[in-house]
Amino acid sequence: MIDQFITILDGLNIVFAIFFSVLINVFINVLGVIPSFFITAGNLFYFGFWGGTLISFIGESIGALVAFFLYRKGLKKQRQKWSTHNKLKLLVDSSGKEAFLLILLLRVIPYVPSALVTLAASVSKISWTSFFIASSVGKIPAVVMEALTVYGLKELMPSIKFLLIILSVGLLVPIIKSIIRYHFKKE
């Protein structure tokens, strides 16, 4: 699948290749069941590590926003039903800063399905701008980790590995502290 994607990109000029990659990523985000791994891999092989990572990030961010709008429009009447689901109740019933932090945290945590976060956020009270910012910032570590997985962590210099670890911890610690503080303040 990666080879076919790269073959398609090879047949396009650079601007159309970028546009096509972002468009495919948006489509995958709206569907919510196909992993974007092969798009990220194709982007890295075709555009290089940093260019491919950036294009994948842009596609993931725009894709999440488009999916958010479509899910919100389609599930407008389903909010009540979703708020009874134990695992999604916290996000569905949240708004403002709490919803922002929850989305940010859920995006940063590996292996939380992106479509599920977008779906739950779409029936919550969060504004689209807050969703977009929280989702995009939270996707940075996820896309970088995916890119590093594809590219091969051992190909990078030890100093870059160390910098990425420090950056990830630096992002996670304040988010987790805020959520814990907020949670215990409510009780």
Side-chain angles (χ1 to χ4, degrees), residues 88-124:
L88 300 176
K89 184 174 179 39
L90 185 61
L91 179 56
V92 171
D93 291 342
S94 66
S95 62
K97 185 179 177 183
E98 181 185 30
F100 182 91
L101 289 172
L102 281 169
I103 291 167
L104 184 62
L105 181 64
L106 289 170
R107 287 289 193 227
V108 170
I109 297 172
Y111 311 114
V112 173
S114 183
L116 190 59
V117 175
T118 304
L119 192 62
S122 72
V123 294
S124 75

Side-chain angles (χ1 to χ4, degrees), residues 26-50:
V26 168
F27 180 72
I28 285 172
N29 269 272
V30 170
L31 287 180
V33 292
I34 302 171
S36 62
F37 184 81
F38 79 92
I39 297 295
T40 301
N43 285 340
L44 293 175
F45 294 133
Y46 190 78
F47 299 108
F49 181 80
W50 293 112

Side-chain angles (χ1 to χ4, degrees), residues 11 27 50 60 66 69 111 119 122 138 144 153 161:
F27 180 72
W50 293 112
E60 291 270 340
V66 170
F69 280 127
Y111 311 114
L119 192 62
S122 72
V144 169
L153 193 53
K161 291 179 200 176

Side-chain angles (χ1 to χ4, degrees), residues 102-178:
L102 281 169
I103 291 167
L104 184 62
L105 181 64
L106 289 170
R107 287 289 193 227
V108 170
I109 297 172
Y111 311 114
V112 173
S114 183
L116 190 59
V117 175
T118 304
L119 192 62
S122 72
V123 294
S124 75
K125 300 170 194 161
I126 193 167
S127 71
W128 72 268
T129 52
S130 291
F131 169 79
F132 182 67
I133 293 167
S135 181
S136 295
V137 171
K139 279 185 174 285
I140 292 170
V143 171
V144 169
M145 284 193 309
E146 188 173 275
L148 287 171
T149 301
V150 170
Y151 192 74
L153 193 53
K154 58 186 146 178
E155 298 291 323
L156 294 177
M157 294 181 293
S159 59
I160 293 175
K161 291 179 200 176
F162 181 73
L163 179 65
L164 290 172
I165 291 168
I166 296 298
L167 180 65
S168 296
V169 170
L171 285 172
L172 282 175
V173 169
I175 294 168
I176 292 170
K177 279 183 177 180
S178 295

